[in-house]
């Protein structure tokens, strides 16, 4: 805890909602030893940014900036490192305290006007807002509990016309035993899905959006967005389906009484449009009215079900007996217990595909998650209870009607016979009815196998079953009419797809998506007017099954990633059961309708591809992110167990870019040959005091990473804070990377201003090259005629010793004031500078001057570059030194060596004149270059030279000039050769000389590099390996 000096203050009263003192007080049944006294107030102190630090003094017995845990500190939390409400920052606890008027306040908090208030200030503000009489209270939105909001809604959506019209027929076909198996198999899938929904919905606060919200926040926007769109559309079309089911029932009643409005088809359209318009009016009236309508439908269905059960125990009349109903009989139960397949649909999976849609509808409660009081409690409890009660109703109905009604009956009162009459076959003969004729001719109109209205016939009062059918269809239509806009509204607000944001606007206290309601209404009316939904119905069922599969997969995936954030309070789920549920859902999709399953998958894949292409800027902490981390961690650890081999060598580059946007050519060059191949790490050294630079480092890192992503460079960014450039680069060289994924090549830009820069910066630059070789790094220097630094007028800090705005003649802008920082979003959105490495090079040449054997790195980098599309047409030429009298032999030897390396380099040139003396004017230019750096000691002894060199180690003694004369002239001659052979090349790669540490002054070494690479138009890459092989011609 950060302690503060306690000023003389009146006793403070801590009004925080969650404080240790209040907990102690409750436990002890009164005041604890630290319970604050009454009559004091937190605001009794002169307010400052942290005046709340004094209000909870009694909690711990001393004054502290720290605050006790509170709900407000965690609400609306987003990413790691985001500021929380009320909690002091780390700087507030850690920085130096400044005492102002008797109060100790951290300097950091004085400098941050947006500092959050303490919990007591927050609570005091809340209490003041609640208790202020003059303030207008905002109307509370309507919220539902688990019964009205989830259980009843799910039960209504699960129950449908299949319960009334198809379940008796399925019982006749499959028998009671297999019908129960079909029911239990269907319920197994929905129960597993219900458990998965329960786990996901209790893993954090659930907002509006239902199924889309659960899947997208768990699996990410790619799968979530595609499912959200098709799920909303499926619900909209399902409104039409259920409405047409209702309209067909009404049409049939009108036909029975010869009261058709126009004709059978148009009657469906008229009744359907009127019905969906009424349902829309109920929905627009608000969720409260919609809930009341659902309760009415629920009561109607319950009454119809009770009416049916009562009818089964009422003694059968002659009319009912003629139709096959004989009340409960053990013989009938035994006969109907076994299957009796009939017709083209008479198979187990055929009947399963017919029944399974009646088990769906379990998402109706989750789809209005934004209108629930506590979704984490309501969704699990309501969904599972709805599955249980609907399952019981299906099982009871199947068993009871299978024990009461025979499979075949004629419906004619004339078929009654005396019990035991001759020529009578079938179970009905023992009850005094002869249905033999119609059974043999398969012309029976009644009985379980032939009469879809068997429930209505069995019930005590037939019209109540019709009312139940109305209630089931209308409640399902109303539930879908509410679900579709709610899901679509959340999808619109996330802006994953274009042109749909208009429909995301909410109205009223419940943020009702009125525009979404109107869109759903238009879609529903459109499909109602078609009046033929047999083709679209299987696709809708497959869309719902897609949702089930992804919900189960979401639960499995979140569990298997072992993310610390996966902590559902609902524990009764299994990741393997969820995986099984996902697999079974996919199998059922193809069992129902294989072509519809293919269409559903095709649409999901198309929408998934669109979101993957657009890459929306959202961060929901999905399990896909956790899985990516897991995979990266496992592979990185596994890589540590793999021994290195030359065949698997990859150039892993630490690129000293500074801010990457300052040197785009250097970034593009390395990014070209490392993309999808090896590690690229952009390093930046922030020079200055750590206290000043650390905030800048944290602020800018994210912006630089986004800039690299926008440029499509697959690289990491890292920075260090150091007192000088060299020590910072030493940190990067030693600490960069992870395990075997560590850089082995240091890439940096050529220091063009070395003659005018400070001598110490020159020493640092050459020292960095020595450090790289000491750590067994290869080195790659890049020089371009126009320079590398293209920094614009950015509010970003520039390293003063590392090519800091050194080319005013380039017109690249001026240096920003040190210590200023640019917003990361601005940095990422700035205009991207174009470089030569982004252009196609055509049929130019890449010239490699392999002058010294460095292990093959000088050859490998141009080879990797030539594999890329932009450089693929370039011809690669290799130049090596040789003797004029052995040119053919040496050329054949190099060609043979290159062929063994399988690099595809066929054009080899021997340079016999490499040892010729350069032209006098070029020699004079080199002498003039080093003249300002000469010590002019007159060949004095070493002790005298060292004494003269005190404080200026970069100076070149006369002896050093003389000893290195041949090496110096070699660089002059090489520059002449480069100008002769490679003036028009696309790129030049050459092996640079190495200056011996402690024997070659930094100014002399830079003069060699300057002389070697000057006056060249193409980019020149000075590459030197670490003298270890990176190429091999062996296969093991």
């Amino acid at each position: 805890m950060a302690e503060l000096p306690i000023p003389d203050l009146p006793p403070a009263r801590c009004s925080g909602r969650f404080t240790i003192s209040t907990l102690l007080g409750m436990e002890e049944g009164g005041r604890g030893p630290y319970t604050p006294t009454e009559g004091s107030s937190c605001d009794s102190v002169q307010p400052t940014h942290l005046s709340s630090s004094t209000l909870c003094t009694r909690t711990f017995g001393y004054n502290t900036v720290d605050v006790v845990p509170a709900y407000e500190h965690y609400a609306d939390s987003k990413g790691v490192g985001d500021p929380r409400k009320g909690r002091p920052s780390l700087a507030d606890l850690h920085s130096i305290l400044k005492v102002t008027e008797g109060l100790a306040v951290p300097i950091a908090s004085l400098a941050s006007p947006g500092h959050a208030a303490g919990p007591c200030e927050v609570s005091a503000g809340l209490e003041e807002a609640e208790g202020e009489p003059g303030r207008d209270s905002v109307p509370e939105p309507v919220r539902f509990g688990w019964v009205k909001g989830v259980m009843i809604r799910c039960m209504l959506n699960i129950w449908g016309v299949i319960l009334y019209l198809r379940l008796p027929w399925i019982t006749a076909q499959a028998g009671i035993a297999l019908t129960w198996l079909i029911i239990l198999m269907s319920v197994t899938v929905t129960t597993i899905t219900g458990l998965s929904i329960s786990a996901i919905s209790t893993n954090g606060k659930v907002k509006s959006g239902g199924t889309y919200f659960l899947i997208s926040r768990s699996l990410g926007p790619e799968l979530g967005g595609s499912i959200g769109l098709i799920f909303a559309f499926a619900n909209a079309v399902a409104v039409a389906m259920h409405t047409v089911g209702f309209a067909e029932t009404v049409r049939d009643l009108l036909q029975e009484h010869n009261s058709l409005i126009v004709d059978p088809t148009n009657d469906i359209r008229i009744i359907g449009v009127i019905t969906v318009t009424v349902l829309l009016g109920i929905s627009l009236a608000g969720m409260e009215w919609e809930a009341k309508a659902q309760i009415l439908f629920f009561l109607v269905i319950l009454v119809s079900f009770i009416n049916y059960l009562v009818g089964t125990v009422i003694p059968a009349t002659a009319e009912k007996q003629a139709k096959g109903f004989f009340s409960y009989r053990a013989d009938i139960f035994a006969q109907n217990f076994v299957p009796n397949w009939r017709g083209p649909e008479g198979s187990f999976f055929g009947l399963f595909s017919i029944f399974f849609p009646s088990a769906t509808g379990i998402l109706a409660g989750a789809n209005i998650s934004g209108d629930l009081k506590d979704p984490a409690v309501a969704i699990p409890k309501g969904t599972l209870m709805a599955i249980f009660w609907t399952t019981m109703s299906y099982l009871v109905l199947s068993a009871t009607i299978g024990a009461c009604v025979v499979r075949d009956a004629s419906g004619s009162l004339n078929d009654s016979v005396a019990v035991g009459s001759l020529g009578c076959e079938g179970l009905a003969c023992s009850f005094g009815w002869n249905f033999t004729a119609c059974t043999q001719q398969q012309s029976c109109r009644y009985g379980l196998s032939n009469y879809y209205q068997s429930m209505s016939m069995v019930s005590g009062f037939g019209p109540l079953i019709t009312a139940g059918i109305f209630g089931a269809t209308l409640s399902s239509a109303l539930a879908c009419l509410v679900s579709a806009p709610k899901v679509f509204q959340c999808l619109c607000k996330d802006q994953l797809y274009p042109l749909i944001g208009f429909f995301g606007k909410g109205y009223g206290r419940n943020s009702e998506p009125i525009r979404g309601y109107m869109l759903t209404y238009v879609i529903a009316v459109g499909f109602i007017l078609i009046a033929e939904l047999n083709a679209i119905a299987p696709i809708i069922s497959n869309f719902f099954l897609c949702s089930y599969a992804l919900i189960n997969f979401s639960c499995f995936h979140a569990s298997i990633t072992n993310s610390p954030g996966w902590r559902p309070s609902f524990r009764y789920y299994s990741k393997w059961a969820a995986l099984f549920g996902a697999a079974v859902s996919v199998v059922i999709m193809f069992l129902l309708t294989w072509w519809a399953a293919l269409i559903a998958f095709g649409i999901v894949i198309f929408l998934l591809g669109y979101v993957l292409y657009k890459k929306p800027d959202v961060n929901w902490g999905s399990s896909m992110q956790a899985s990516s981390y897991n995979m990266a961690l496992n592979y990185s650890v596994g890589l540590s167990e793999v021994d290195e081999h030359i065949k698997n060598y990859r150039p892993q580059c630490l690129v000293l870019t500074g801010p990457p946007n300052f040197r785009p050519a250097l970034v593009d060059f390395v990014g070209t040959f490392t993309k999808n191949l090896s590690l690229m790490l952009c390093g930046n050294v922030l020079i200055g005091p750590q206290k000043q630079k650390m905030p800048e480092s944290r602020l800018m890192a994210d912006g630089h990473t986004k800039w690299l992503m926008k440029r499509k460079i697959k690289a990491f960014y890292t920075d260090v804070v150091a007192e000088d450039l060299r020590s910072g680069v030493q940190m990067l060289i030693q600490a960069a990377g992870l395990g075997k994924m560590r850089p082995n090549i240091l890439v940096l830009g050529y220091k063009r201003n070395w003659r005018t820069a400070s001598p110490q910066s020159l020493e640092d630059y050459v020292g960095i090259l020595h450090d790289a070789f000491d750590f067994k790094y290869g080195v790659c220097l890049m020089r371009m005629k126009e320079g590398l630094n293209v920094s614009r007028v950015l509010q970003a800090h520039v390293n003063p010793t590392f090519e800091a705005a050194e080319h005013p003649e380039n017109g690249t802008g001026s240096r920003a004031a040190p210590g200023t920082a640019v917003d990361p979003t601005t940095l990422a959105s700035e205009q991207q500078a174009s470089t030569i490495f982004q252009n196609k090079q055509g049929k130019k040449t890449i010239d490699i001057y392999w002058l010294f054997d460095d292990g093959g790195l000088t050859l490998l980098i141009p080879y990797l570059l030539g594999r890329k599309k932009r450089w693929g047409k370039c011809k690669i030429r290799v130049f090596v030194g040789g003797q004029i009298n052995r040119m053919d032999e040496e050329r054949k030897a190099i060609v043979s060596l290159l062929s063994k390396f399988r690099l595809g380099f066929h054009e080899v040139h021997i340079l016999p004149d490499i040892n010729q003396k350069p032209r006098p004017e070029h020699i004079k230019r080199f002498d003039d270059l080093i003249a300002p750096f000469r010590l002019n000691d007159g060949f004095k002894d070493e002790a005298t030279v060292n004494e003269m060199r005190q404080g200026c180690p970069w100076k070149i003694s006369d002896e050093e000039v003389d000893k290195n004369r041949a090496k110096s002239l070699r660089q002059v001659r090489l520059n002449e050769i480069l100008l002769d052979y490679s003036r028009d090349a696309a790129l030049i790669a050459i092996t640079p000389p190495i200056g011996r540490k402690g024997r070659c002054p930094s100014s002399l070494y830079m003069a060699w590099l300057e002389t070697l690479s000057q006056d060249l138009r193409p980019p020149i890459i000075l590459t030197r390996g670490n003298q270890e092989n990176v190429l091999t011609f062996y296969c093991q």
Side-chain angles (χ1 to χ4, degrees):
M1 294 267 181
E3 294 188 28
L4 302 174
I6 305 177
D8 294 331
L9 299 171
R13 178 172 177 263
C14 186
S15 59
R17 292 190 176 182
F18 300 96
T19 63
I20 295 175
S21 59
T22 56
L23 293 177
L24 286 172
M26 286 188 292
E27 287 180 340
E28 298 179 10
R31 291 186 190 276
Y34 301 106
T35 308
T37 59
E38 296 293 342
S40 56
S41 170
C42 289
D43 295 325
S44 58
V45 192
Q46 182 179 353
T48 68
H49 291 290
L50 291 173
S51 62
S52 64
S53 63
T54 62
L55 49 91
C56 294
T57 302
R58 300 302 184 271
T59 302
F60 299 104
Y62 59 89
N63 200 0
T64 176
V65 178
D66 263 336
V67 294
V68 293
Y71 170 85
E72 290 81 3
H73 302 165
Y74 295 90
D76 295 325
S77 59
K78 294 180 181 178
V80 176
D82 289 353
R84 308 287 187 244
K85 295 180 181 178
R87 184 187 304 148
S89 68
L90 190 61
D92 291 333
L93 301 175
H94 191 246
S95 60
I96 300 172
L97 294 175
K98 180 179 180 181
V99 179
T100 306
E101 297 184 11
L103 290 176
V105 181
I107 293 174
S109 70
L110 292 173
S112 58
H115 180 76
C120 296
E121 291 176 315
V122 173
S123 299
L126 291 173
E127 291 171 6
E128 183 180 353
E130 292 170 2
E132 194 171 329
R135 180 168 299 190
D136 295 333
S137 60
V138 179
E140 281 290 323
V142 178
R143 295 285 186 257
F144 304 113
W146 70 272
V147 175
K148 187 190 293 188
V150 180
M151 189 185 78
I152 291 178
R153 190 175 299 273
C154 287
M155 291 178 71
L156 288 171
N157 214 19
I158 293 171
W159 281 330
V161 291
I162 290 178
L163 170 69
Y164 294 96
L165 302 182
R166 290 294 182 271
L167 189 56
W169 174 78
I170 292 173
T171 304
Q173 290 267 8
I176 296 172
L178 291 184
T179 301
W180 276 39
L181 182 60
I182 289 172
I183 294 170
L184 293 176
M185 284 177 59
S186 303
V187 169
T188 299
V189 177
T190 56
T191 302
I192 292 173
T193 307
L195 295 174
S196 298
I197 291 173
S198 302
I200 297 172
S201 62
T202 57
N203 188 52
K205 190 174 182 180
V206 177
K207 299 182 181 178
S208 61
T211 306
Y212 161 70
F213 184 89
L214 295 176
I215 296 177
S216 62
R217 270 52 176 182
S218 182
L219 283 180
E222 296 84 8
L223 283 171
S226 57
I227 281 297
L229 198 58
I230 65 173
F231 188 74
F233 177 76
N235 271 286
V237 179
V239 175
M241 285 184 59
H242 295 300
T243 306
V244 167
F246 168 78
E248 285 181 348
T249 308
V250 175
R251 189 269 318 268
D252 292 343
L253 289 174
L254 293 176
Q255 271 186 324
E256 286 182 15
H257 297 85
N258 297 319
S259 302
L260 286 176
I261 305 171
V262 182
D263 58 65
T265 303
N266 284 318
D267 279 11
I268 292 176
R269 292 170 178 160
I270 294 169
I271 297 168
V273 171
I274 294 173
T275 303
V276 79
T277 304
V278 173
L279 293 177
L280 176 67
I282 295 173
S283 301
L284 292 178
M287 287 298 296
E288 195 170 2
W289 283 95
E290 187 268 348
K292 291 176 180 178
Q294 293 284 32
I295 291 176
L296 176 63
F297 292 141
F298 182 71
L299 293 176
V300 169
I301 292 175
L302 282 185
V303 169
S304 71
F305 199 72
I306 294 170
N307 171 53
Y308 157 76
L309 292 176
V310 170
T312 60
V313 297
I314 296 176
T317 62
E319 290 80 4
K320 288 188 177 182
Q321 288 184 355
K323 294 180 180 180
F325 173 62
F326 298 98
S327 294
Y328 291 107
R329 302 291 178 120
D331 294 343
I332 298 176
F333 181 85
Q335 186 185 57
N336 289 336
F337 191 78
V338 294
N340 182 17
W341 310 112
R342 299 183 187 182
E345 295 169 333
S347 65
F348 181 82
F349 284 108
L351 295 178
F352 178 82
S353 65
I354 292 172
F355 174 79
F356 183 79
S358 68
T360 61
I362 62 172
L363 301 178
N367 285 337
I368 63 160
S369 54
D371 297 300
L372 301 175
K373 291 178 182 176
D374 189 354
V377 173
I379 292 175
K381 198 171 182 180
T383 303
L384 295 176
M385 289 299 291
I387 293 173
F388 174 77
W389 288 117
T390 53
T391 303
M392 293 303 298
S393 66
Y394 285 139
L395 294 175
V396 168
L397 176 60
S398 174
T400 54
I401 205 162
C404 295
V405 185
V406 295
R407 284 192 170 103
D408 296 294
S410 64
S412 174
L413 294 173
N414 297 324
D415 288 337
S416 61
V417 294
V419 176
S421 300
L422 296 175
C424 183
E425 298 178 2
L427 185 62
C429 297
S430 60
F431 307 133
W433 292 87
N434 184 5
F435 302 137
T436 306
C438 73
T439 302
Q440 291 177 347
Q441 297 173 7
Q442 296 184 353
S443 60
C444 296
R445 294 177 54 198
Y446 294 93
L448 284 182
S449 296
N450 310 294
Y451 189 47
Y452 288 153
Q453 301 284 353
S454 294
M455 274 190 71
S456 180
M457 181 263 294
V458 171
S459 66
F461 184 60
L464 282 178
I465 299 297
T466 304
I469 295 174
F470 289 173
T473 52
L474 292 178
S475 64
S476 297
L478 187 58
C480 292
L481 183 58
V482 171
S483 296
K486 295 283 186 181
V487 173
F488 194 58
Q489 182 185 35
C490 185
L491 182 64
C492 293
K493 288 181 177 179
D494 287 337
Q495 298 180 342
L496 300 182
Y497 298 103
L499 307 177
I500 63 174
F502 172 80
F503 299 99
K505 183 176 175 59
Y507 296 86
R509 58 182 180 176
N510 272 52
S511 188
E512 294 290 347
I514 293 179
R515 296 173 180 176
Y517 279 126
M518 299 309 298
L519 178 64
T520 305
Y521 174 76
V522 170
I523 294 173
V525 168
F527 280 96
I528 288 171
L529 293 178
I530 294 173
E532 181 54 60
L533 296 178
N534 289 340
I536 200 71
I539 299 179
I540 295 173
S541 296
N542 277 282
F543 282 169
F544 285 122
L545 279 167
C546 264
S547 305
Y548 292 177
L550 281 178
I551 286 174
N552 284 309
F553 183 74
S554 299
C555 181
F556 166 76
H557 197 264
S559 301
I560 206 167
T561 54
N562 294 323
S563 172
W566 175 250
R567 303 185 301 275
S569 56
F570 183 85
R571 300 290 183 182
Y572 305 103
Y573 72 96
S574 167
K575 59 185 176 184
W576 302 115
L579 180 62
F580 174 75
V584 170
S585 297
V586 174
V587 170
I588 293 174
M589 287 177 65
F590 285 92
L591 285 178
L592 292 180
T593 318
W594 64 267
W595 57 266
L598 292 178
I599 291 175
F601 275 111
I603 295 174
V604 170
I605 291 171
F606 173 77
L607 295 173
L608 171 67
Y610 177 81
V611 179
L612 285 172
Y613 173 75
K614 294 296 289 184
K615 290 186 174 64
D617 187 19
V618 294
N619 181 16
W620 296 328
S622 68
S623 61
M624 287 297 180
Q625 294 172 315
S627 178
S628 299
Y629 177 85
N630 270 7
M631 291 175 62
L633 180 63
N634 291 334
Y635 282 127
S636 298
V637 173
L639 196 62
S640 300
E641 303 172 3
V642 178
D643 294 332
E644 294 180 354
H645 194 282
I646 300 173
K647 285 198 303 180
N648 294 325
Y649 173 85
R650 295 170 186 261
Q652 304 189 107
C653 300
L654 171 60
V655 192
L656 300 184
T657 57
N661 57 320
F662 281 11
R663 295 170 180 82
L666 192 61
V667 171
D668 290 339
F669 164 65
V670 180
T672 301
F673 69 82
T674 59
K675 186 175 183 179
N676 299 325
L677 177 82
S678 59
L679 174 70
M680 175 180 174
L681 204 155
C682 295
N684 183 19
V685 180
L686 299 172
I687 300 172
Q690 183 175 0
K691 188 181 300 183
Q692 177 186 348
K693 294 298 176 183
M694 282 304 294
E696 180 181 340
S697 170
R698 289 193 297 268
L699 177 67
M700 297 303 296
D702 187 52
H704 290 312
T705 301
K706 288 181 178 178
W707 183 89
L708 290 168
M709 292 170 63
K710 184 178 180 182
R711 203 172 180 85
K712 298 182 179 179
I713 299 293
K714 295 189 175 182
F716 298 99
Y717 169 83
T718 187
D719 53 33
V720 294
V721 178
E723 295 298 327
D724 58 76
L725 178 66
R726 184 175 181 182
S727 61
V729 175
Q730 287 174 343
M731 295 178 196
L732 287 171
I733 289 175
Q734 295 179 80
L738 184 69
K740 291 292 178 69
M741 294 184 64
R742 298 178 65 86
N744 50 31
I745 299 174
L746 182 70
V747 184
L748 65 165
Y750 177 72
K751 189 173 180 64
R752 293 181 65 195
N753 69 334
W754 66 274
R755 283 170 288 179
T756 57
S758 66
Q760 186 56 48
S761 69
L762 175 61
E763 280 287 291
D764 284 348
Y765 184 83
V766 177
I768 287 170
L769 303 181
H770 289 308
D771 293 337
F773 290 130
D774 287 342
F775 288 107
K776 293 293 185 71
Y777 272 57
V779 170
C780 181
L781 275 74
M782 180 178 178
R783 181 174 186 180
M784 296 181 67
K785 185 177 182 180
E786 61 274 17
L788 291 174
N789 193 318
V790 296
S791 56
R792 303 292 192 268
V793 183
L794 295 174
Q795 292 179 338
H797 178 62
V798 183
N799 292 335
T801 57
F802 192 62
E803 201 181 15
E806 61 197 35
H807 311 303
E809 71 275 7
N810 290 344
T812 56
S814 60
R815 276 183 54 186
T820 59
V822 68
D823 179 68
T825 307
T826 306
L827 176 63
S829 62
E830 74 175 44
Q831 187 176 2
Q832 299 275 349
S834 178
T835 68
I836 186 175
F837 297 99
Q838 293 179 317
N839 304 326
K840 290 186 177 180
Q841 299 302 313
K843 296 184 178 181
K844 297 180 183 178
T845 63
I846 299 175
D847 292 348
I848 305 172
Y849 289 82
W850 196 24
L851 305 178
F852 307 102
D853 190 352
D854 61 345
L857 187 62
T858 307
L859 296 174
L860 183 61
I861 290 179
Y863 165 73
L864 296 175
L865 204 62
R867 286 170 38 172
K868 302 301 179 181
K869 188 176 180 180
R870 290 171 182 155
W871 297 79
K873 293 184 179 180
C874 290
K875 182 171 64 174
I876 298 180
R877 304 187 298 177
V878 180
F879 297 84
V880 294
Q883 300 177 11
I884 193 168
N885 56 347
R886 300 184 67 248
M887 284 181 60
D888 289 341
E889 293 86 345
E890 291 181 351
R891 183 181 180 281
K892 287 179 181 178
I894 295 298
V895 168
S896 175
L897 178 62
L898 293 177
S899 67
K900 288 183 172 61
F901 287 147
R902 308 173 306 283
L903 296 172
F905 299 166
H906 305 295
E907 188 170 341
V908 177
H909 298 269
I910 305 298
L911 301 174
D913 53 352
I914 195 171
N915 291 318
Q916 288 184 5
K917 190 175 182 179
R919 291 196 284 272
E921 61 271 22
H922 294 159
I923 297 175
K924 182 179 183 304
R925 184 169 65 174
F926 175 78
D927 291 336
D928 293 341
L929 184 65
I930 64 173
F933 301 96
R934 295 192 61 168
L935 199 58
N936 297 319
D937 57 298
F939 294 92
K940 292 183 172 62
D941 60 88
E942 186 174 350
T944 306
V945 169
N946 289 338
E947 187 177 345
M948 294 176 65
R949 201 182 253 165
Q950 283 290 337
C952 50
W954 56 87
K955 290 285 188 179
I956 313 169
S957 68
D958 293 344
E959 184 180 2
E960 288 166 340
V961 172
D962 187 58
K963 282 184 178 180
N964 293 291
R965 189 65 180 175
K967 201 169 186 178
S968 300
L969 294 180
R970 167 68 72 90
Q971 313 312 316
V972 178
R973 177 59 188 151
L974 283 174
N975 180 253
E976 294 176 350
I977 291 173
L978 293 176
L979 288 170
D980 289 342
Y981 288 93
S982 302
R983 189 183 299 272
D984 297 322
L987 182 74
I988 300 172
I990 188 169
T991 315
I994 292 183
R996 192 171 294 278
K997 189 165 58 173
R999 296 298 180 188
C1000 178
S1002 56
S1003 55
L1004 178 59
Y1005 184 70
M1006 289 304 299
W1008 288 348
L1009 299 183
E1010 176 72 26
T1011 302
L1012 177 63
S1013 58
Q1014 64 187 354
D1015 298 334
L1016 291 168
R1017 185 196 61 79
I1020 181 167
I1021 310 299
L1022 303 163
T1023 308
R1024 188 79 192 210
N1026 62 358
Q1027 301 305 110
E1028 294 182 0
N1029 290 348
V1030 300
L1031 298 173
T1032 181
F1033 42 75
Y1034 294 110
C1035 62
Q1036 63 179 11

